[in-house]
Amino acid sequence: MALRRALIFVGPPGAGKGTQSKLAAKECGLPHLSTGDMLRDAIARGTPLGKKVRPLLGRGELVPDDLVMSMVEERLSQPDCANGFIFDGFPRTLPQAEQLDGLLEAKGLGKPLVIDFCVSPDKLLRRLSGRLTCSVGGEIYNEFDAPPKVPGICDRDGGKLVQRPDDRPEVVKERLVAYEKQTKPLTDYYRRRGVLQVVDAGKSVDEVSRALNAILKRAEGPNGRL
Ligand code: AP5
């Protein structure tokens, strides 16, 4: 698919943004940029940024905008981001969205295409409590709905599957509050700009992927309709 665009996947924790970003990145040949993965990587490497943000992620709070923006700006300056990318979990506040608009303009990428992943709260809790992530390649599984062939081991690279520390019920509660207060208002911001598309993300992974690809197809090419 030839899509020269900034794609933004928004939605509550556990909506399937990461799962679908990985599939769409392959389909469109665009890099997948997850600010959550970047922050977890900084924590794992013990960088100064990682040390600052570790307690925030542990409590389910958002990281301050200035820290996230400098991390994103640095990533966007890399050559693989010249023709577009998929943001998973960014922007998450209005100031982040406004600053991103400026960065996209400077890169000549124009308006983003924003996909809002909608899922009922009961499904979110089931998905988060069952999520397992490969500690090597980041592959995402679910012990209820998408288990690995061998329990605890990644099908792809044999890595150990782990539960994210912020998927504990008390932290999930805080992440959902942060989403409602700070991130949900972004859907109105992007709807007013005419760039928001909604996907029913409560369906199966394949069904969501098909719905998403249909949207991306409509946006494709110089005469794309979205
Ligand atoms: P981040 O890593 O971005 O987490 P999140 O937004 O809370 O989203 P998740 O990764 O939990 O869920 P997802 O929607 O990707 O679902 P997934 O595909 O994994 O952020 C973590 C933290 O970092 C934040 O709390 C904050 O502290 C900080 N942060 C990050 N970005 C920031 C920013 N921009 N500003 C400030 N702070 C920031 O799927 C979940 C499970 O469901 C999996 O088990 C999967 O197998 C399963 N699943 C997926 N799709 C389906 C389906 N269709 N049917 C059934 N099961 C499914």
Side-chain angles (χ1 to χ4, degrees):
M1 207 181 286
L3 201 60
R4 190 178 184 278
R5 198 79 179 259
L7 304 179
I8 296 175
F9 291 180
V10 292
K17 305 179 297 295
T19 301
Q20 295 297 333
S21 295
K22 288 177 200 288
L23 297 172
K26 274 191 207 135
E27 184 73 27
C28 307
L30 294 174
H32 166 209
L33 312 183
S34 157
T35 43
D37 286 349
M38 293 179 209
L39 293 165
R40 280 184 291 275
D41 178 60
I43 292 173
R45 286 186 295 116
T47 66
L49 172 67
K51 286 184 182 135
K52 262 191 211 160
V53 302
R54 183 185 199 113
L56 299 173
L57 269 77
R59 292 196 296 267
E61 293 170 24
L62 292 191
V63 169
D65 291 335
D66 57 331
L67 296 181
V68 174
M69 286 315 301
S70 40
M71 186 178 77
V72 166
E73 257 189 85
E74 203 280 315
R75 182 65 185 89
L76 291 189
S77 68
Q78 293 172 22
D80 64 330
C81 292
N83 291 316
F85 29 81
I86 302 175
F87 272 128
D88 158 15
F90 173 87
R92 253 174 151 101
T93 64
L94 226 36
Q96 289 180 17
E98 286 162 356
Q99 287 181 59
L100 176 64
D101 286 344
L103 293 176
L104 295 184
E105 205 168 307
K107 287 181 84 65
L109 281 171
K111 282 188 183 180
L113 175 60
V114 184
I115 313 289
D116 184 17
F117 284 65
C118 287
V119 191
S120 65
D122 54 326
K123 283 193 181 163
L124 293 177
L125 295 178
R126 178 183 164 89
R127 288 184 186 181
L128 292 171
S129 63
R131 172 165 52 191
L132 295 167
T133 308
C134 174
S135 53
V136 176
E139 197 71 10
I140 303 167
Y141 295 86
N142 191 283
E143 66 173 291
F144 310 124
D145 301 319
K149 289 188 186 117
V150 179
I153 304 290
C154 178
D155 297 347
R156 179 163 296 189
D157 57 23
K160 188 177 171 215
L161 302 184
V162 292
Q163 189 187 31
R164 263 173 49 179
D166 61 346
D167 280 346
R168 284 177 290 125
E170 63 277 19
V171 186
V172 164
K173 209 169 127 204
E174 291 310 315
R175 288 163 62 200
L176 289 169
V177 169
Y179 168 76
E180 286 294 327
K181 265 199 199 152
Q182 292 165 277
T183 307
K184 208 168 174 191
L186 287 185
T187 52
D188 279 339
Y189 173 79
Y190 285 123
R191 189 175 291 113
R192 278 198 301 274
R193 301 185 64 212
V195 295
L196 188 79
Q197 295 290 316
V198 179
V199 161
D200 177 358
K203 298 203 165 145
S204 72
V205 171
D206 286 349
E207 286 171 306
V208 177
S209 176
R210 275 199 293 279
L212 182 59
N213 283 341
I215 294 173
L216 301 182
K217 223 39 205 156
R218 281 193 281 144
E220 194 182 17
N223 301 317
R225 285 169 289 138
L226 293 176

Coordinates of all heavy atoms in Angstrom, one line a residue, residues 180-214:
E180 N -9.4 8.9 29.9 CA -10.7 9.6 29.9 C -10.4 11.1 30.0 O -11.0 11.9 29.3 CB -11.6 9.2 31.0 CG -12.2 7.8 30.8 CD -13.2 7.7 29.6 OE1 -13.9 8.8 29.3 OE2 -13.2 6.7 29.0
K181 N -9.6 11.5 31.0 CA -9.4 12.9 31.3 C -8.5 13.6 30.2 O -8.8 14.7 29.8 CB -8.6 13.1 32.6 CG -9.6 13.2 33.8 CD -8.7 13.8 34.9 CE -9.4 13.6 36.3 NZ -8.5 13.5 37.4
Q182 N -7.4 13.0 29.9 CA -6.4 13.7 29.1 C -6.3 13.4 27.6 O -5.9 14.2 26.8 CB -5.0 13.5 29.7 CG -4.8 14.1 31.1 CD -3.7 13.6 31.9 OE1 -3.7 12.5 32.5 NE2 -2.6 14.3 31.8
T183 N -6.7 12.1 27.3 CA -6.6 11.7 25.9 C -7.9 11.7 25.1 O -7.9 12.1 23.9 CB -5.9 10.3 25.8 OG1 -4.7 10.3 26.6 CG2 -5.6 9.9 24.4
K184 N -9.0 11.4 25.7 CA -10.2 11.3 25.0 C -10.6 12.6 24.3 O -11.1 12.6 23.2 CB -11.4 10.8 25.9 CG -12.4 10.1 25.1 CD -13.4 9.4 26.0 CE -14.5 8.8 25.2 NZ -15.6 8.3 26.1
P185 N -10.3 13.8 24.9 CA -10.7 15.0 24.3 C -10.0 15.2 22.9 O -10.4 16.0 22.1 CB -10.1 16.1 25.2 CG -10.1 15.4 26.6 CD -9.8 14.0 26.3
L186 N -8.9 14.4 22.6 CA -8.3 14.5 21.3 C -9.2 14.1 20.2 O -9.0 14.6 19.0 CB -7.1 13.6 21.2 CG -5.8 14.0 22.0 CD1 -4.7 13.0 21.7 CD2 -5.4 15.4 21.7
T187 N -10.2 13.2 20.5 CA -11.0 12.8 19.4 C -11.8 13.9 18.8 O -12.1 14.1 17.6 CB -11.9 11.6 19.8 OG1 -12.6 11.9 21.0 CG2 -11.1 10.3 20.0
D188 N -12.3 14.8 19.7 CA -13.0 16.0 19.3 C -12.1 16.9 18.5 O -12.5 17.5 17.5 CB -13.6 16.8 20.5 CG -14.9 16.2 21.0 OD1 -15.5 15.4 20.2 OD2 -15.2 16.4 22.2
Y189 N -10.9 17.1 18.9 CA -9.9 17.9 18.3 C -9.7 17.5 16.8 O -9.8 18.3 15.9 CB -8.6 17.9 19.0 CG -7.4 18.6 18.4 CD1 -7.3 20.0 18.5 CD2 -6.4 17.9 17.7 CE1 -6.2 20.6 17.9 CE2 -5.4 18.5 17.1 CZ -5.2 19.9 17.2 OH -4.2 20.5 16.6
Y190 N -9.5 16.1 16.6 CA -9.3 15.6 15.3 C -10.6 15.5 14.5 O -10.6 15.7 13.3 CB -8.6 14.3 15.4 CG -7.1 14.4 15.7 CD1 -6.6 13.7 16.8 CD2 -6.3 15.2 15.0 CE1 -5.3 13.9 17.2 CE2 -4.9 15.3 15.3 CZ -4.4 14.6 16.4 OH -3.1 14.8 16.7
R191 N -11.8 15.3 15.2 CA -13.0 15.3 14.4 C -13.3 16.6 13.8 O -13.7 16.7 12.6 CB -14.2 14.9 15.4 CG -15.5 14.6 14.6 CD -16.6 14.0 15.5 NE -16.3 12.7 16.0 CZ -16.0 12.4 17.2 NH1 -16.0 13.3 18.2 NH2 -15.8 11.2 17.6
R192 N -13.1 17.7 14.6 CA -13.3 19.1 14.1 C -12.4 19.3 12.8 O -12.8 20.1 12.0 CB -13.0 20.1 15.1 CG -14.1 20.3 16.1 CD -14.0 21.6 16.9 NE -12.7 21.7 17.6 CZ -12.6 21.2 18.9 NH1 -13.6 20.6 19.5 NH2 -11.4 21.3 19.5
R193 N -11.2 18.7 12.8 CA -10.3 19.0 11.7 C -10.6 18.0 10.5 O -9.9 18.0 9.5 CB -8.9 18.8 12.1 CG -8.5 19.7 13.2 CD -7.0 19.6 13.6 NE -6.2 20.0 12.5 CZ -5.0 19.5 12.2 NH1 -4.5 18.6 12.9 NH2 -4.3 19.9 11.2
G194 N -11.6 17.2 10.6 CA -12.1 16.3 9.6 C -11.1 15.2 9.2 O -11.1 14.6 8.1
V195 N -10.3 14.7 10.2 CA -9.3 13.7 9.9 C -9.5 12.4 10.8 O -8.7 11.5 10.8 CB -7.9 14.2 10.1 CG1 -7.5 15.3 9.2 CG2 -7.6 14.6 11.6
L196 N -10.7 12.3 11.5 CA -10.9 11.2 12.4 C -11.8 10.1 11.8 O -12.8 10.4 11.2 CB -11.6 11.7 13.7 CG -11.7 10.7 14.8 CD1 -10.4 10.5 15.5 CD2 -12.8 11.0 15.8
Q197 N -11.3 8.9 11.9 CA -12.1 7.7 11.4 C -12.2 6.8 12.7 O -11.3 6.6 13.4 CB -11.4 7.0 10.3 CG -11.2 7.7 9.0 CD -12.6 7.9 8.3 OE1 -13.3 7.0 8.2 NE2 -12.8 9.1 7.9
V198 N -13.4 6.2 12.8 CA -13.6 5.4 14.0 C -13.7 3.9 13.6 O -14.3 3.6 12.5 CB -15.0 5.8 14.7 CG1 -15.2 4.9 15.9 CG2 -14.9 7.2 15.1
V199 N -13.0 3.0 14.4 CA -13.1 1.6 14.1 C -13.7 0.9 15.3 O -13.4 1.2 16.4 CB -11.6 1.1 13.8 CG1 -11.5 -0.4 14.0 CG2 -11.1 1.5 12.5
D200 N -14.5 -0.1 15.0 CA -15.1 -0.9 16.1 C -14.0 -1.9 16.5 O -13.9 -3.0 15.9 CB -16.4 -1.6 15.7 CG -16.9 -2.5 16.8 OD1 -16.3 -2.7 17.8 OD2 -18.0 -3.1 16.5
A201 N -13.2 -1.6 17.5 CA -12.1 -2.4 17.9 C -12.5 -3.5 18.9 O -11.6 -4.3 19.4 CB -11.0 -1.6 18.5
G202 N -13.8 -3.7 19.1 CA -14.2 -4.8 20.0 C -14.3 -6.1 19.2 O -14.6 -7.2 19.8
K203 N -14.2 -6.0 17.9 CA -14.3 -7.3 17.1 C -13.0 -8.0 17.1 O -12.0 -7.6 17.8 CB -14.6 -6.8 15.7 CG -16.0 -6.1 15.6 CD -16.6 -6.2 14.2 CE -18.0 -5.8 14.3 NZ -18.5 -5.1 13.1
S204 N -12.9 -9.1 16.3 CA -11.7 -10.0 16.4 C -10.5 -9.2 15.7 O -10.7 -8.2 15.0 CB -11.9 -11.3 15.6 OG -12.0 -11.0 14.2
V205 N -9.3 -9.7 15.9 CA -8.1 -9.0 15.4 C -8.2 -8.9 13.8 O -8.0 -7.9 13.2 CB -6.8 -9.8 15.8 CG1 -5.6 -9.3 15.0 CG2 -6.6 -9.7 17.3
D206 N -8.7 -10.0 13.2 CA -8.8 -10.1 11.7 C -9.9 -9.1 11.3 O -9.7 -8.4 10.3 CB -9.2 -11.5 11.2 CG -8.0 -12.4 11.3 OD1 -6.9 -11.9 11.6 OD2 -8.2 -13.6 11.2
E207 N -11.0 -9.0 11.9 CA -12.1 -8.1 11.5 C -11.6 -6.7 11.7 O -11.9 -5.8 10.8 CB -13.3 -8.4 12.4 CG -14.1 -9.6 12.0 CD -15.2 -10.0 13.0 OE1 -14.9 -10.1 14.2 OE2 -16.3 -10.1 12.5
V208 N -10.9 -6.4 12.8 CA -10.5 -5.0 13.0 C -9.5 -4.6 11.9 O -9.5 -3.5 11.3 CB -9.8 -4.8 14.4 CG1 -9.3 -3.4 14.5 CG2 -10.9 -5.1 15.5
S209 N -8.6 -5.6 11.6 CA -7.6 -5.4 10.6 C -8.2 -5.1 9.2 O -7.7 -4.2 8.5 CB -6.6 -6.6 10.6 OG -5.7 -6.4 9.6
R210 N -9.2 -5.8 8.9 CA -9.9 -5.6 7.6 C -10.5 -4.2 7.5 O -10.4 -3.5 6.5 CB -11.0 -6.7 7.3 CG -10.4 -8.0 6.7 CD -11.5 -8.8 6.1 NE -12.4 -9.4 7.0 CZ -12.2 -10.5 7.8 NH1 -11.0 -11.1 7.6 NH2 -13.0 -10.9 8.6
A211 N -11.2 -3.8 8.6 CA -11.9 -2.5 8.7 C -10.8 -1.4 8.5 O -11.0 -0.4 7.8 CB -12.6 -2.4 10.0
L212 N -9.7 -1.6 9.2 CA -8.6 -0.6 9.2 C -8.0 -0.5 7.8 O -7.8 0.6 7.2 CB -7.5 -1.0 10.2 CG -6.4 -0.1 10.4 CD1 -6.8 1.2 10.9 CD2 -5.4 -0.7 11.5
N213 N -7.8 -1.7 7.1 CA -7.2 -1.7 5.8 C -8.1 -1.0 4.8 O -7.7 -0.3 3.9 CB -6.8 -3.1 5.3 CG -5.6 -3.6 6.0 OD1 -4.8 -2.8 6.5 ND2 -5.4 -4.9 6.0
A214 N -9.4 -1.2 5.0 CA -10.4 -0.5 4.1 C -10.3 1.0 4.2 O -10.3 1.7 3.2 CB -11.8 -1.0 4.4

